[in-house]
Amino acid sequence: MIGFIIRRLASMVLVLFAVSVLVFAIFNIIPGGDPAVRMAGKNPTDVQIEAIRKEWGFDKPVTTQYAKMIEKTFDGQLISYSNRENVLERIKEGLPRTLSLTFWSSLFMLVGGIALGMLSALRPNSFADRTINAIAVVGISLPVFWIGGLMSYYLGSKAGIIPAGGYVSISEGGVLDWFWHLLAPSLAISFLFIGIYSRVLRGDLLDALRADYVRTAEAKGLSKRRVVVRHALRNALIPMITLWGLDVAITLGGGAVLTETVFDLDGVGAYLADSTRSLDVPPVMAITLLGAIAVVVMNAIIDILYAYLDPRIRL
Amino acid sequence: MAEATQPAGVPASGTPAPAATANVPDPVAAGLWRASWRAIKSSWAGRLSLLTLVLIVASSLAAPLWANHVADSGPLTNHLTDQIRLNGELTDVVSFEGIPIGPTGQKRFFLGADANGRDIMVRLLYGGRNSLQISLVATTITLLLGTLFGLIAGFFRGWVDSVISRGLDILQSTPIILLGIALGVATALGGINLGIVKIPGDSLFIPALIIGVIQTVYVARPLRGITLSLRERPFVEAARSQGATNMRIIRREILPNLGTSLLVLAPIIFAQTVSYEAALSFLGAGVQPPNPSWGTLISDGLDVLVSAPHLTIIPGAVLAAMVLSLNLLGDVVREAIDPRGMVAAAQKDEH
Amino acid sequence: MTAPTAPTPAGAPDAASDLLLDIDGLGVAFPSERGPIHAVRDVRLTLRRGEVLAVVGESGSGKSVTALTLLGLTRGRGTAITGKAEFDGIDLIGASDSQLRRIRGKRIAMVFQDPMSSLNPVLRIGHQIAEQIRAHEGVGKAEARKRTIDALTEVGIPRAAERVDAYPHEFSGGMRQRVMIAMALVCGPELLIADEPTTALDVTVQAQILDLILRLRDERGMSVMLVTHDLGVVAETADQVAVMYGGRIVEQAPCDELFADPRHPYSWGLIGSIPPLTGAKPEYLPTIAGTPPSPLALPAGCPFRARCPHEFEQCAEVPPLAETAGAPGHLDRCWLPIDEKRIRRAGADGRIGLLHDAEATTEESA
Amino acid sequence: MKYTRMTSAVAALSATAIFAAACGSDSDKSSDSGSGGAATAEAKSGGDFTGTYSSFPDYLDPALSYTAEGWTTLWPNYTGLLTFKHAEGAEGSELAPGLAEALPEISEDGLTYKLKLRSGLKYSDGSPVKASDFEHTIKRVLNLESGGSAFYLSIEGAEAYVKAGKADGDISGITADDATGDITIKLATKDGQFSFYLAMDFAGLVKGDTPFENATDKPAVGYGPYSITEVKPNRSVTMTKNPNFTPLPDVPEGKADSITINVVKNQRRQAQDVINDQVDFLIDPPTPDQIREVKAKAGDRYKEEITNSTYYYFLNLRTKPFDDERVRQAVGYAVDERALARIFGGLLAPSCNFLPPGMIGYEKVDPCPWGEPGTADVEKAKALIKEAGAEGTEVTVWGNDEDPSSPVTEYLADTLNSIGLKAKPRIVDGSVYFQTIGNQKTKAQTGFANWFQDFPSPANFMFLVDGASIQETNNQNFGNVDDKEINKLIADAKANPDINAVKGEWAKADKLLVDKAYVIPYGNRKLTKITSSRVNFDAFQFNPVYNHDLTTLGLK
């Protein structure tokens, strides 16, 4: 276990370093992206630009700037170039939204994926299976920003069935309203993943149902339900759960950019997208690192979960 | 992005490996294409999606014909103050409040106009052209680079493999849509300048290159796994014992056997590329205005969803149809030449 | 050269002569794109309490399908099961799924070939056994666990109280099969179906497992249906033997009788291919020429026809499974007259039947 | 204020200065527009109001805020020594004493400004307002390298203070006496516009112990009818009536008890909410495709206001083909303001002047030399291009990705193509656009530009075309307009603190600019006022400098 933790930490450091250098490099090559000039605002004067360069360290060598930025990221002192707000504070602001979105969407993905995958696999090549397969392919093929935009308008603004967008926290509107506002965006994200998961699960479950141990379980006189759930599904779920964990991590780390944008959720993903488009490096750096950490940690959790689900695996 | 970038059934990433090692499809050097073709021809889904693909590609190719001979307007031509005769009445192409005309069903402005009074039908056709061009180039880049890295990592193993695999890990730890946005925004501003090669910022090659490179991981990983087990096969051992060089083994023994995997992956990667391009362009980091692409058309359309919903619905539907057809085609081909899902297994079994 | 000695079953209970399993005219056909596959046709078998019945055949002969069908494990979409299979008077073919479920594991238990893949790799073995107990008997967790440990001890697993919480991969092959047997026997079944229980194991372990099965049979008086391709195993364990080929039973006889006087050319081939236990090893073992027929393309008439060196015109018709006069309980499915068989058999392989041949002939002439 | 962006941030420092123009053509469905300052029927006091912004103010710190949202929000909470009158139209552009007793006394040489702080004033936390707080206020602007620091660098010692980089340093040009309230400001260089700077938001007084850091999360204590009582950064801000506020002659008490502003990015939803009376006011206009609906459903609480802004195409005189006057004229002929107005969804008042109509010094250029607004003469333009031998010249038309810059840029590119040039648009990100085209190395030939006023003086517009303001980098004279005659007119006029005295010079410079086709102005942005039905719509003023005057928001 200790070896596992050390390995994971080492890989996290490596990933964080690489990702941060990548981000830093990309944004440093951009022409016309002089942050000092941007911060100087609408009427820049040389005196002021110079003062900004000095105070913010833009006159230092790139390596120093990089080191400084990483240091600030980790001690929470990172400041946005476009409006000088504390990046970490702003991320903390957006995180509940992104977390909520992640929560519901990952729930939908999981439940939807398992339900459809099981329905499909239990009656292979039946009408239900074919229908589900068709739905899955369609789900995988629908652009989320498109379906999201249409949902937001037609179900939201026009029909008034769901809120057209925005976020209501539990403390503001209670659990119901909170959920209600997240329903459409969570579903919009889930379509794709339900499509993917149901197909992955279908394949694995079919394999599992053909496995010898399932035959054993049947021969033992267990109920059909127990055979499917306890024996087949338990094994077949492992690959799907792995995928799911990683996707959750990515959504958490700002991956739901399109959905957050279309549904006006203004979480971490939308913040990242805005910052990236306006070339505001500090938030991009912080959120990318956050995302990378989420992925690495989630990967570790998946591995642990994996070892739990499949005792043959050693950490 | 987590969203819209996963190929059908392709796992998000380096999953902790199920214990099994990657299986390898049987080396069937010839006949892959024929088998695929037969499968496509004989299945309902295959025929339908092929027809859709052909229709979309053909209409995109025919864009200049429609522009010059039917709509009488280029994809970038503004008609802000023009009027056309609709049901015998002169009608503004763009109203005073800036609301563009809806579908006319006539030659001109068949699908209506956008906010600049440009003919949407023409832009849709040209947009398809741009999207397809980019996706085609990007897919080619992805397959080439993916094969290269997968092959090298899987064949040479050791530190080469470690370096490449860690690199792929890192690529997968970042939501790739964000990487795409960052690169897209950065390069759109200044273009790419590599000394000898200069690509202007509005070139279609830039998004193609970005998408192509970023998606490499989805090909490199499975091919690495397959190469890893191919190199242990008897025929490779045999070649080695006869003193064949690494290059020769790769060229003669390994590469031909990657054919199945590539053919299975290609449509899925293509589908993914089309979605990815659309997403990037939607966020303004792909095709640069005023050039149309399906993504920018949807983005423009959403601004006027209330008054002109077709501007969102139509490009999105074409995009979805394209991706759907590619995914279905991918399914059909996979079932035909990789019925035991070995390529998919290799995608899952990583590390 | 001597044929393997066929020991008489130690202490087979004489009293238990009542019929436990009665199969008649059993047919199983699976659907496929190219029409139904008749995996099993017209199988007739009986098994008495306390008896060991061996079903022998190559893979694809229908022996496993027959066994699985008894437990309803071949039921599925499109599978056509015909004929009769009665277990202690219960119609196994017509039984509902839930009726069958109550029999499975409780009254008829099954042990499979590969103990690695047949145990669920992600569940503790104790759990896998206990859940069977709990599925059939309304006992609590603690009670189920206690009985699980007892069952494991009984099959000879050392430190069962600890090992009960281990996972399958933590056992050796032989131990895993013991676990399987413990699982099969934990509810005290009247019939144990063992499908190639020793095939995946090495020779010494094989013997231990067979001994274990026989010992338990003796202690509990249960019946065993042993499905195998290994005549060596049969010879050591079975009371009755049925030889299957191409989905049909081609010969059926008490164990001694079969080895002493095999009637069907296929049986000759099978017996001939057993390596001799004593004497010089031959340079090569005789094998049956050709390959088993695909169930999709069975020849018309006698299924063994295509590989049989003794084929003649009448083989175009399926021979009946008939008893030869004077040998009650010994049936076979071959058109050749009995005398002709004996002559040809000696010509085919001098080893077969030599030991008892004279006796048999004497008896007959007597 | 500057190239603000319409969708997100904008907005609008506008001037409805001239109501006649304001309620022109299409916007007059609204009831009798509040003419001049004398608003009809005062709003009732009381009530808690909510409003919606598309984006959160850049800063809730007067030293830093440089967007319309910020100024609109901060004005009721921070008052400077000087201020602008709480009124609409021309009157709203007039300077008035705020915390100072009177307008400044300016010395003969124009370098010394003397003011006296009113006595007995208390900040919102009850502590006394001190004269030295003024120096602290200016120091914060400079030390935080605010976008507004350019305005105060002319104060003696200001540059040295910035360069030293020490917050507690001294600005030698400012002396304040807390006992008497006397404040003296010495300038290093003469600047006729300095009084305006004192009325700008940046100089809104904050308490002397306000730290030298962005105070958005914890707004500084100031003096005004309201004080900010709750901030959820990027989400909402609430201001409530300031109990320690004493009305000043030109700073009346606010009407509402409290005003809460929420950020809703979806503009379509914003308009829906206000139509349905769920929200009391908006500052951003509805989306073009909603305007028809808004007019139909809430015509009596919707009004379009022309802002003091100008939208134009710059033509770089240092690059081909725009060094040729005929080519520039051709562009003037070819550009159709009617087409552009449609791109703006109707929220553009076409004009060919560079100065906005609400500005002192505006005189309509009549007739427009290159065709009246709403006409285009492509044939003539083609002929001119031919004559200049510029056919087929490659032109890159620059624009940014903010609406409406992008379509406006694409329109120009298409137009240039239609008259014989070979143009293609180049759209770059809004955040780096102006520094990109403001770099001489870019050699931006032509493109999109706009300007929203910082303070109501033509000087704030004409520096964009002043030869003296050309720079290598961060150039704001994108077209490098450098005309001796215009330069002189600007130099003379801006040195004079009395705008009214130099009206003629400004008008002349404006006309020259247009006649020589140095820039192609095409109109002024219109903004909108929309309220819920319980708001006294006419009493809710639209100030030319600060836009929606939240102190006038009240019940019917």
Side-chain angles (χ1 to χ4, degrees):
Chain A
M1 191 65 188
I2 289 174
F4 171 78
I5 291 172
I6 291 173
R7 274 201 313 280
R8 285 295 154 158
L9 282 178
S11 108
M12 181 182 321
V13 170
L14 186 75
V15 167
L16 293 189
F17 177 72
V19 167
S20 60
V21 168
L22 194 69
V23 168
F24 194 77
I26 291 174
F27 283 88
N28 261 278
I29 319 170
I30 299 170
D34 185 344
V37 177
R38 292 186 50 206
M39 294 173 83
K42 318 291 188 185
N43 288 315
T45 60
D46 292 343
V47 184
Q48 176 199 7
I49 291 171
E50 268 320 303
I52 293 176
R53 287 222 170 92
K54 209 168 129 195
E55 186 181 329
W56 293 73
F58 298 135
D59 51 352
K60 300 268 173 26
V62 239
T63 45
T64 318
Q65 287 188 42
Y66 168 78
K68 195 84 199 154
M69 179 171 285
I70 297 300
E71 189 192 318
K72 282 185 180 169
T73 309
F74 286 97
D75 65 14
Q77 297 300 309
L78 204 61
I79 303 291
S80 148
Y81 292 163
S82 58
N83 63 357
R84 300 191 200 186
E85 70 183 321
N86 186 307
V87 171
L88 278 282
E89 291 297 317
R90 174 77 173 79
I91 291 176
K92 269 188 220 157
E93 264 288 309
L95 212 50
R97 293 156 181 251
T98 300
L99 277 173
S100 309
L101 179 67
T102 310
F103 175 78
W104 285 113
S105 57
S106 41
L107 198 71
F108 290 156
M109 288 175 201
L110 197 64
V111 172
I114 293 178
L116 293 190
M118 275 181 71
L119 269 177
S120 249
L122 289 182
R123 322 206 57 192
N125 298 320
S126 64
F127 177 75
D129 179 30
R130 283 164 204 276
T131 313
I132 288 168
N133 190 44
I135 293 172
V137 184
V138 170
I140 290 166
S141 307
L142 287 182
V144 65
F145 52 92
W146 181 63
I147 198 71
L150 294 181
M151 275 170 81
S152 158
Y153 176 63
Y154 284 102
L155 298 179
S157 306
K158 204 153 182 186
I161 300 171
I162 49 159
Y167 173 81
V168 174
S169 71
I170 298 183
S171 59
E172 284 162 5
V175 176
L176 247 148
D177 213 23
W178 171 68
F179 167 72
W180 200 227
H181 276 81
L182 289 162
L183 179 62
S186 308
L187 282 177
I189 299 187
S190 309
F191 284 146
L192 168 75
F193 295 103
I194 290 178
I196 294 176
Y197 297 165
S198 67
R199 303 183 99 198
V200 169
L201 182 64
R202 176 186 187 271
D204 290 327
L205 191 54
L206 277 178
D207 286 348
L209 285 170
R210 279 192 293 262
D212 288 348
Y213 57 79
V214 166
R215 199 182 52 190
T216 310
E218 283 184 317
K220 287 196 293 193
L222 303 184
S223 66
K224 178 90 184 154
R225 203 186 127 99
R226 196 170 171 91
V227 169
V228 170
V229 175
R230 249 300 151 85
H231 290 266
L233 191 62
R234 168 81 197 262
N235 279 277
L237 270 181
I238 296 174
M240 196 202 105
I241 295 277
T242 311
L243 291 185
W244 176 73
L246 210 88
D247 292 326
V248 170
I250 288 180
T251 315
L252 205 62
V257 176
L258 292 162
T259 311
E260 288 192 12
T261 307
V262 171
F263 284 99
D264 197 12
L265 273 175
D266 207 15
V268 176
Y271 183 37
L272 180 51
D274 287 350
S275 313
T276 314
R277 268 183 292 180
S278 60
L279 307 176
D280 191 1
V281 199
V284 178
M285 180 67 85
I287 301 174
T288 319
L289 290 181
L290 177 81
I293 292 175
V295 171
V296 175
V297 169
M298 203 64 199
N299 257 330
I301 294 176
I302 294 167
D303 282 1
I304 293 169
L305 190 73
Y306 208 83
Y308 167 76
L309 286 176
D310 187 344
R312 286 165 297 179
I313 305 285
R314 289 262 170 74
L315 289 179
Chain B
M1 84 180 123
E3 28 191 31
T5 62
Q6 251 105 37
V10 175
S13 96
T15 62
T21 53
N23 294 308
V24 177
D26 288 321
V28 192
L32 287 180
W33 289 96
R34 218 173 316 132
S36 311
W37 172 238
R38 228 180 297 123
I40 292 169
K41 261 197 317 192
S42 61
S43 91
W44 177 85
R47 287 198 301 267
L48 188 70
S49 47
L50 191 68
L51 183 73
T52 314
L53 272 185
V54 168
L55 270 180
I56 293 176
V57 172
S59 60
S60 299
L61 287 177
L65 289 177
W66 180 278
N68 295 331
H69 300 291
V70 183
D72 196 21
S73 166
L76 309 182
T77 317
N78 289 217
H79 298 280
L80 277 160
T81 51
D82 289 11
Q83 293 188 313
I84 60 161
R85 200 161 280 285
L86 193 62
N87 303 329
E89 269 178 66
L90 271 182
T91 312
D92 284 337
V93 173
V94 179
S95 81
F96 180 81
E97 296 102 327
I99 300 174
I101 195 167
T104 62
Q106 300 177 4
K107 285 178 173 179
R108 302 193 61 200
F109 303 103
F110 182 74
L111 292 180
D114 72 1
N116 271 53
R118 292 175 294 213
D119 190 316
I120 286 291
M121 183 64 188
V122 176
R123 279 178 76 72
L124 184 66
L125 295 177
Y126 273 92
R129 221 176 145 86
N130 289 336
S131 293
L132 290 179
Q133 267 176 20
I134 293 173
S135 306
L136 207 61
V137 174
T139 307
T140 312
I141 294 175
T142 302
L143 292 179
L144 285 179
L145 287 182
T147 310
L148 187 73
F149 285 122
L151 198 64
I152 292 177
F155 189 81
F156 292 103
R157 302 189 295 191
W159 66 270
V160 182
D161 182 23
S162 302
V163 170
I164 293 178
S165 294
R166 289 297 84 72
L168 297 178
D169 279 353
I170 289 165
L171 209 56
Q172 281 195 322
S173 304
T174 17
I176 63 168
I177 184 86
L178 299 169
L179 210 57
I181 302 172
L183 284 170
V185 170
T187 46
L189 261 175
I192 294 178
N193 190 345
L194 298 171
I196 336 156
V197 195
K198 276 188 190 141
I199 310 168
D202 54 354
S203 164
L204 292 184
F205 193 64
I206 287 189
L209 193 67
I210 293 173
I211 298 169
V213 170
I214 287 180
Q215 300 215 95
T216 299
V217 61
Y218 295 122
V219 175
R221 278 200 181 278
L223 288 198
R224 169 183 169 274
I226 286 171
T227 309
L228 265 177
S229 58
L230 271 177
R231 75 189 300 284
E232 305 302 335
R233 285 284 187 97
F235 55 87
V236 175
E237 286 297 310
R240 199 188 299 280
S241 65
Q242 283 161 21
T245 60
N246 281 342
M247 265 324 284
R248 195 183 156 81
I249 293 175
I250 290 179
R251 216 176 52 236
R252 302 289 294 271
E253 312 292 345
I254 310 265
L255 262 181
N257 284 308
L258 293 179
T260 309
S261 318
L262 285 174
L263 202 55
V264 168
L265 287 173
I268 305 170
I269 293 289
F270 197 177
Q272 192 186 356
T273 307
V274 172
S275 325
Y276 193 18
E277 185 279 323
L280 273 192
S281 297
F282 176 80
L283 289 171
V287 172
Q288 294 303 304
N291 286 324
S293 94
W294 288 327
T296 59
L297 289 171
I298 294 174
S299 161
D300 292 349
L302 281 176
D303 289 342
V304 287
L305 191 59
V306 177
S307 53
H310 63 285
L311 295 192
T312 306
I313 293 172
I314 293 170
V318 176
L319 170 64
M322 180 77 197
V323 178
L324 186 61
S325 309
L326 283 168
N327 278 331
L328 283 175
L329 221 50
D331 275 6
V332 172
V333 169
R334 180 173 46 79
E335 270 165 36
I337 65 177
D338 182 27
R340 279 176 289 167
M342 287 161 178
V343 177
Q347 287 171 331
K348 265 186 261 169
D349 298 353
E350 262 315 317
H351 292 300
Chain C
M1 225 173 260
T2 52
T5 46
T8 34
D14 295 331
S17 58
D18 49 328
L19 204 60
L20 182 64
L21 188 64
D22 181 11
I23 304 173
D24 197 3
L26 182 70
V28 181
F30 299 112
S32 86
E33 283 168 16
R34 283 182 272 168
I37 299 172
H38 293 278
V40 170
R41 291 181 204 231
D42 194 21
V43 164
R44 192 179 161 277
L45 284 173
T46 50
L47 180 57
R48 273 177 248 281
R49 289 191 190 273
E51 207 174 53
V52 176
L53 165 69
V55 180
V56 188
E58 292 170 286
S59 54
S61 62
K63 58 187 194 303
S64 289
V65 173
T66 306
L68 292 170
T69 303
L70 296 181
L71 285 179
L73 294 178
T74 52
R75 288 184 179 190
R77 292 178 359 121
T79 308
I81 301 174
T82 49
K84 179 182 105 170
E86 274 182 10
F87 170 76
D88 197 21
I90 302 165
D91 175 15
L92 294 176
I93 307 295
S96 70
D97 282 349
S98 59
Q99 277 176 311
L100 261 186
R101 207 155 40 230
R102 281 195 293 275
I103 295 171
R104 288 176 187 163
K106 171 71 179 162
R107 303 190 63 190
I108 307 179
M110 193 154 176
V111 172
F112 295 95
Q113 172 175 354
D114 181 354
M116 181 69 237
S117 64
S118 298
L119 284 168
N120 193 329
V122 303
L123 297 176
R124 297 175 199 281
I125 56 139
H127 174 93
Q128 297 190 50
I129 298 174
E131 73 175 345
Q132 181 179 353
I133 303 174
R134 287 167 57 93
H136 293 291
E137 299 165 33
V139 298
K141 272 190 183 170
E143 167 71 11
R145 185 179 168 88
K146 195 181 147 288
R147 281 182 52 189
T148 301
I149 296 171
D150 291 347
L152 289 173
T153 313
E154 192 180 359
V155 297
I157 290 181
R159 291 182 292 122
E162 286 167 42
R163 305 289 276 160
V164 68
D165 286 328
Y167 288 97
H169 69 277
E170 293 165 338
F171 289 86
S172 69
M175 283 296 152
R176 275 200 285 265
Q177 196 60 294
R178 284 175 194 263
V179 171
M180 283 297 289
I181 293 169
M183 185 189 288
L185 300 182
V186 75
C187 291
E190 291 144 77
L191 171 62
L192 173 71
I193 302 177
D195 187 357
E196 307 263 13
T198 57
T199 309
L201 307 173
D202 52 47
V203 187
T204 46
V205 182
Q206 276 188 13
Q208 292 171 7
I209 296 292
L210 287 175
D211 287 349
L212 173 65
I213 292 178
L214 291 177
R215 175 169 63 85
L216 293 167
R217 189 269 314 254
D218 295 346
E219 286 170 17
R220 300 176 174 218
M222 68 181 179
S223 309
V224 177
M225 178 171 167
L226 180 68
V227 177
T228 182
H229 67 275
D230 188 341
L231 278 181
V233 170
V234 174
E236 287 171 39
T237 51
D239 300 322
Q240 289 284 327
V241 183
V243 180
M244 283 189 78
Y245 186 85
R248 293 177 195 272
I249 290 177
V250 292
E251 185 162 1
Q252 195 175 344
C255 188
D256 298 354
E257 174 74 17
L258 181 87
F259 282 98
D261 184 20
R263 304 269 171 92
H264 196 279
Y266 177 65
S267 309
W268 307 344
L270 277 183
I271 296 171
S273 60
I274 303 171
L277 290 178
T278 56
K281 297 211 164 166
E283 272 173 45
Y284 65 93
L285 276 173
T287 50
I288 304 170
T291 49
S294 152
L296 263 173
L298 279 176
C302 172
F304 190 56
R305 207 176 142 198
R307 293 167 81 189
C308 184
H310 314 286
E311 184 216 358
F312 64 115
E313 292 116 64
Q314 219 180 341
C315 299
E317 244 178 87
V318 184
L321 187 62
E323 201 167 300
T324 315
H330 193 156
L331 300 94
D332 76 300
R333 210 184 263 279
C334 182
W335 289 118
L336 285 173
I338 175 75
D339 299 336
E340 185 68 21
K341 283 178 188 162
R342 288 183 178 145
I343 296 164
R344 294 206 184 193
R345 182 178 70 201
D349 187 334
R351 294 189 298 148
I352 305 172
L354 280 181
L355 195 66
H356 300 293
D357 223 7
E359 257 176 71
T361 318
T362 350
E363 271 170 33
E364 230 163 84
S365 53
Chain D
M1 161 154 290
K2 179 154 190 190
Y3 343 105
T4 9
R5 317 167 172 169
M6 291 317 296
T7 31
S8 47
V10 195
L13 294 182
S14 77
T16 326
I18 297 218
F19 25 99
C23 359
S25 48
D26 55 289
S27 63
D28 42 9
K29 275 204 186 134
S30 46
S31 57
D32 64 334
S33 57
S35 328
T40 46
E42 275 225 353
K44 274 190 206 139
S45 290
D48 299 311
F49 291 81
T50 55
T52 306
Y53 289 3
S54 295
S55 59
F56 197 73
D58 54 346
Y59 301 100
L60 286 178
D61 184 334
L64 288 166
S65 176
Y66 208 165
T67 56
E69 293 91 341
W71 286 17
T72 300
T73 314
L74 294 173
W75 195 35
N77 302 287
Y78 299 95
T79 311
L81 293 176
L82 304 186
T83 189
F84 293 99
K85 287 190 175 158
H86 284 262
E88 295 196 321
E91 197 188 339
S93 293
E94 280 176 26
L95 278 172
L99 302 187
E101 286 182 340
L103 292 178
E105 247 175 66
I106 309 172
S107 64
E108 283 287 305
D109 59 4
L111 288 176
T112 309
Y113 285 66
K114 278 197 168 146
L115 297 118
K116 190 173 168 67
L117 185 73
R118 291 176 204 268
S119 58
L121 298 177
K122 277 181 187 159
Y123 282 118
S124 55
D125 67 349
S127 59
V129 180
K130 292 186 284 189
S132 58
D133 294 345
F134 172 71
E135 188 176 352
H136 184 76
T137 301
I138 299 300
K139 274 187 189 170
R140 284 188 80 243
V141 174
L142 295 174
N143 182 264
L144 293 175
E145 294 112 5
S146 157
S149 50
F151 298 112
Y152 309 99
L153 283 173
S154 58
I155 300 175
E156 199 180 277
E159 271 195 29
Y161 172 81
V162 174
K163 279 183 183 157
K166 290 204 177 73
D168 53 359
D170 180 53
I171 304 176
S172 57
I174 302 179
T175 48
D177 186 336
D178 284 344
T180 61
D182 283 329
I183 298 167
T184 310
I185 306 162
K186 274 200 178 130
L187 300 188
T189 51
K190 190 174 158 182
D191 188 341
Q193 314 297 314
F194 194 76
S195 297
F196 285 116
Y197 306 162
L198 292 177
M200 284 170 82
D201 181 64
F202 299 113
L205 245 61
V206 293
K207 200 177 158 188
D209 60 359
T210 309
F212 286 85
E213 58 186 35
N214 172 14
T216 300
D217 295 352
K218 205 172 162 283
V221 172
Y223 187 92
Y226 289 88
S227 66
I228 297 175
T229 44
E230 199 190 341
V231 180
K232 289 185 199 147
N234 294 301
R235 310 282 178 229
S236 72
V237 50
T238 301
M239 52 178 91
T240 29
K241 258 189 175 174
N242 174 3
N244 289 308
F245 173 74
T246 327
L248 306 174
D250 286 297
V251 186
E253 201 165 350
K255 301 292 177 205
D257 287 338
S258 80
I259 302 171
T260 300
I261 294 149
N262 294 305
V263 174
V264 173
K265 286 194 174 164
N266 184 335
Q267 277 176 290
R268 185 166 295 128
R269 226 174 83 205
Q270 289 186 17
Q272 285 300 335
D273 286 352
V274 83
I275 293 174
N276 299 335
D277 280 341
Q278 283 158 337
V279 163
D280 292 309
F281 69 99
L282 300 185
I283 61 167
D284 292 309
T287 60
D289 62 347
Q290 270 183 317
I291 290 182
R292 218 177 262 182
E293 187 192 349
V294 174
K295 282 180 181 169
K297 287 191 184 162
D300 56 340
R301 39 197 172 96
Y302 171 78
K303 193 176 155 199
E304 294 173 1
E305 311 265 9
I306 299 180
T307 60
N308 274 358
S309 63
T310 185
Y311 278 73
Y312 62 104
Y313 290 120
F314 69 88
L315 303 170
N316 193 338
L317 305 182
R318 289 189 187 172
T319 61
K320 277 190 181 322
F322 302 111
D323 53 346
D324 189 319
E325 188 168 349
R326 286 166 299 186
V327 176
R328 303 199 300 267
Q329 289 171 357
V331 179
Y333 278 120
V335 167
D336 185 346
E337 290 82 353
R338 199 171 36 136
L340 287 158
R342 291 178 187 192
I343 292 179
F344 280 77
L347 292 177
L348 178 84
S351 157
C352 68
N353 281 60
F354 188 66
L355 287 178
M359 185 61 68
I360 295 165
Y362 169 84
E363 255 175 52
K364 185 169 166 34
V365 177
D366 197 21
C368 286
W370 323 118
E372 284 303 305
T375 64
D377 195 336
V378 173
E379 289 316 310
K380 207 161 188 174
K382 271 187 188 164
L384 280 164
I385 295 284
K386 208 171 222 173
E387 198 186 313
E391 282 168 301
T393 312
E394 289 195 1
V395 177
T396 303
V397 184
W398 292 77
N400 64 46
D401 60 354
E402 321 267 358
D403 194 48
S405 170
S406 180
V408 161
T409 309
E410 289 165 34
Y411 166 74
L412 180 63
D414 184 53
T415 303
L416 296 184
N417 280 327
S418 71
I419 62 172
L421 299 171
K422 208 175 150 215
K424 64 171 189 182
R426 184 89 173 73
I427 310 294
V428 299
D429 191 86
S431 59
V432 296
Y433 176 64
F434 290 106
Q435 57 168 299
T436 306
I437 60 169
N439 189 330
Q440 297 287 2
K441 278 195 199 130
T442 310
K443 293 198 168 57
Q445 288 163 292
T446 177
F448 167 88
N450 65 345
W451 187 260
F452 281 77
Q453 80 170 3
D454 290 331
F455 53 90
S457 159
N460 187 230
F461 282 82
M462 298 306 275
F463 83 99
L464 296 165
V465 288
D466 184 352
S469 57
I470 296 176
Q471 297 179 11
E472 268 310 298
T473 56
N474 307 322
N475 185 16
Q476 309 217 47
N477 184 344
F478 308 118
N480 294 306
V481 180
D482 192 5
D483 182 292
K484 284 200 179 98
E485 198 178 352
I486 295 176
N487 291 352
K488 184 161 184 339
L489 284 167
I490 294 175
D492 290 349
K494 78 171 182 184
N496 195 331
D498 183 359
I499 300 191
N500 285 314
V502 288
K503 266 203 256 187
E505 276 88 341
W506 289 124
K508 200 171 167 197
D510 192 14
K511 184 162 172 19
L512 272 172
L513 203 57
V514 174
D515 282 346
K516 295 199 173 174
Y518 285 133
V519 288
I520 310 295
Y522 50 80
N524 319 99
R525 183 70 158 128
K526 289 199 258 184
L527 282 181
T528 57
K529 189 170 88 176
I530 318 176
T531 68
S532 65
S533 44
R534 70 178 181 141
V535 169
N536 185 332
F537 184 76
D538 294 329
F540 185 30
Q541 293 179 359
F542 195 82
N543 183 275
V545 184
Y546 285 100
N547 287 357
H548 304 83
D549 184 349
L550 300 185
T551 62
T552 60
L553 180 68
L555 295 168
K556 268 182 182 159

